[in-house]
Amino acid sequence: MTAERIGAVIDALPLPVLLIGPDERVRAANSMVDSILGPELIGKHHITALRQPAIIAAIAETSRTQDPRVARYTGRHGPKDTVYRVSVAAAEGDILLTFEDQTAAEEAGQMRRDFVANVSHELRTPLTALLGFIETLSGAAKEDPVARDRFLGIMAHEANRMTRLVDDLMSLSRVEEDERVRPREHVDLSALLSSVIKGLEPQVNAAGVTVTLDLVTSDEMVQGDAGQLVQVFTNLVENAIKYGASGEEVTVQLLPRAMNQRLRCDAIQIKVTDKGDGIAEHHIARLTERFYRVDNHRSREVGGTGLGLAIVKHIINRHRGRLLIESEEGRGTQVSVFLPVGPVA
Ligand code: ADP
C-alpha cells in the first residue's frame, strides 16, 4: 500500500492510530494522533516521537516476537493528563499502535475507591466509639448506674448516626438507579410543601426557628415523583434549620412559572431561604459532592451525613430541573429548585 493510501485508511478510523515502519520511524499517523503526540510525526524515530519507556518497551517486544502487547501512555498536551491504553500489534513488518482514551474509566475507578474509603471512614468512627463504650460498660462502669445511663445515651446517638448514614447510602443508590427514568406522577407543589413543613415540626420546635410557607402562586402542578420531591424539600428545609438556625427565620417560597434560560423552558422556582451563617463562595460548587461538608465537626454535631445535597442533585437531575445555591457569609443562604413545566425547546 502506498503511504498516501495508508494515510487515507487510517485517517478514516475513529481512534488515534500510528504506524511504525521497519526502519523504526513513524510511517503514518492519523490526525487524531496529533493531539496526543504533536504534529509532524512522519519520518521521526518512534523513540523521539513517543518518549515513554513503557510503550517503547512494548514496541521492542512486539517487533521481536510479533505478539501483540498493551501499554499505558500518558498524554500531557491538554490542560489535564490523559491516560491511553495503547495496543501494539505487528502488521506485515510494520508496527501498528492504537490509542484508546481511558481517562473517564480511570476517573470512575478513582471515584469508586474514594467513595468506599469515605464510607468506611464514616462508619468506623461511630463503630470505634460503640466498641469503646461496650468495653467500659462490661468492665469499669459495670456497677455504676449513672455512668451506664450516660454511656447508653451516647451509644444510641452513635448507632442512630450509623443508621442515618446507611439510610442515605441506600437512598443515594436508589436515586442513582432510576435517574434515567422519567417521573410520571402529577404533583401539587403547594400541598407537597405544606406537608414537608408539617413533617418537620419536631425539628423546627427543637431548633427554635419559624418556618414560613409563602405561596406566591398556588395550584402549580409538575410532572414528578412525589416521594422524591418530598425528600428534596425535606433535605433543603432541614439544612436551613440545621445550619441557619442562628437566623431564626426560614422561608419556603413557591414562585410562579417563568422562562428559565438554562433549562430553555418554563420552570417553577421553589426557594428555601435562611438567615444563618451562610457559605463561603469557594465551597458552593462542591456542596453536592458526596461527603463534602463545609465544617465536618458541625455537620456531624447536627446529625448530617454529608450525602443530603448529593441525593437532592440526583433527584433534580432526574426531574430535568436545576439546583441553584446562593449564599453570602454572615447573611444566609438561598437554595432554589427549578422544575420544568413546559416542553423543552
Ligand atoms: P449534611 O448531611 O452534612 O448536612 P448536605 O449534603 O445536606 O450534608 O450538605 C453539605 C454541606 O453543605 C453541609 O455539611 C453544610 O456545611 C453545607 N450547607 C448545606 N445547607 C446549608 C445552609 N442552608 N447553610 C449553611 N451551610 C449549608
Side-chain angles (χ1 to χ4, degrees):
M1 232 195 282
T2 63
E4 258 173 37
R5 218 171 132 59
I6 294 174
V9 170
I10 64 171
D11 251 342
L13 294 172
L15 291 174
V17 171
L18 179 104
L19 195 68
I20 301 168
D23 60 354
E24 302 192 341
R25 291 179 182 275
V26 176
R27 193 169 162 205
N30 66 8
S31 49
M32 292 175 84
V33 170
D34 291 358
S35 58
I36 308 172
L37 301 176
E40 290 166 26
L41 294 164
I42 313 291
K44 260 195 193 169
H45 195 279
H46 75 270
I47 295 183
T48 329
L50 292 157
R51 290 209 215 107
Q52 292 182 17
I55 189 160
I56 292 166
I59 295 167
E61 273 295 298
T62 298
S63 48
R64 195 172 61 77
T65 60
Q66 300 294 295
D67 290 335
R69 286 274 183 284
V70 170
R72 220 175 116 91
Y73 185 87
T74 310
R76 304 195 201 279
H77 276 279
K80 237 176 27 167
D81 283 359
T82 313
V83 181
Y84 295 94
R85 177 182 188 272
V86 187
S87 307
V88 184
E92 293 191 4
D94 289 347
I95 301 282
L96 184 74
L97 308 190
T98 315
F99 293 73
E100 287 167 83
D101 190 341
Q102 296 287 299
T103 318
E106 297 226 347
E107 277 174 3
Q110 186 59 44
M111 268 171 71
R112 204 169 45 238
R113 285 189 292 278
D114 287 350
F115 182 65
V116 172
N118 273 322
V119 171
S120 314
H121 175 77
E122 295 289 334
L123 283 172
R124 167 160 262 158
T125 319
L127 269 177
T128 308
L130 279 176
L131 287 171
F133 286 118
I134 290 170
E135 200 180 305
T136 318
L137 281 175
S138 39
K142 205 172 183 173
E143 311 298 339
D144 180 346
V146 178
R148 195 177 56 211
D149 284 353
R150 195 164 73 81
F151 292 159
L152 283 173
I154 303 174
M155 287 167 78
H157 178 78
E158 295 296 336
N160 281 329
R161 191 166 132 190
M162 283 197 289
T163 309
R164 268 197 310 274
L165 180 63
V166 173
D167 285 348
D168 276 0
L169 285 169
M170 281 168 58
S171 188
L172 188 62
S173 113
R174 264 198 308 272
V175 167
E176 275 179 336
E177 213 172 80
D178 58 20
E179 192 167 335
R180 280 171 219 292
V181 186
R182 217 53 218 277
R184 294 255 165 250
E185 290 167 63
H186 291 280
V187 182
D188 174 350
L189 283 173
S190 24
L192 185 130
L193 292 172
S194 311
S195 88
V196 163
I197 294 172
K198 201 149 183 44
L200 286 169
E201 247 164 35
Q203 283 100 309
V204 171
N205 294 337
V209 293
T210 52
V211 178
T212 313
L213 177 60
D214 179 10
L215 298 174
V216 182
T217 176
S218 55
D219 300 328
E220 285 290 10
M221 302 292 286
V222 288
Q223 192 173 321
D225 178 319
Q228 286 193 337
L229 290 176
V230 165
Q231 225 178 328
V232 165
F233 298 113
T234 304
N235 238 305
L236 298 183
V237 178
E238 239 175 6
N239 275 353
I241 299 169
K242 287 191 303 195
Y243 304 106
S246 57
E248 293 174 7
E249 278 171 42
V250 172
T251 316
V252 181
Q253 274 178 304
L254 177 63
L255 295 156
R257 63 178 67 198
M259 176 65 188
N260 187 287
Q261 294 301 341
R262 281 270 204 101
L263 296 176
R264 287 189 287 138
C265 66
D266 277 358
I268 295 175
Q269 182 182 3
I270 301 100
K271 187 162 156 187
V272 180
T273 307
D274 69 63
K275 298 201 170 117
D277 301 340
I279 309 162
E281 165 112 41
H282 64 279
H283 290 296
I284 292 181
R286 301 198 56 193
L287 294 179
T288 54
E289 287 174 24
R290 297 155 177 190
F291 297 115
Y292 191 87
R293 294 148 159 145
V294 174
D295 178 343
N296 273 328
H297 180 72
R298 171 130 188 242
S299 158
R300 292 210 178 92
E301 215 173 56
V302 292
T305 60
L307 293 174
L309 289 178
I311 295 171
V312 163
K313 182 75 196 264
H314 276 289
I315 296 178
I316 294 175
N317 285 348
R318 182 183 174 210
H319 286 76
R320 311 261 206 284
R322 186 175 165 229
L323 177 72
L324 174 69
I325 304 175
E326 299 164 296
S327 190
E328 209 180 315
E329 266 184 296
R331 300 208 137 192
T333 303
Q334 302 178 357
V335 184
S336 290
V337 175
F338 295 90
L339 294 171
V341 282
V344 177

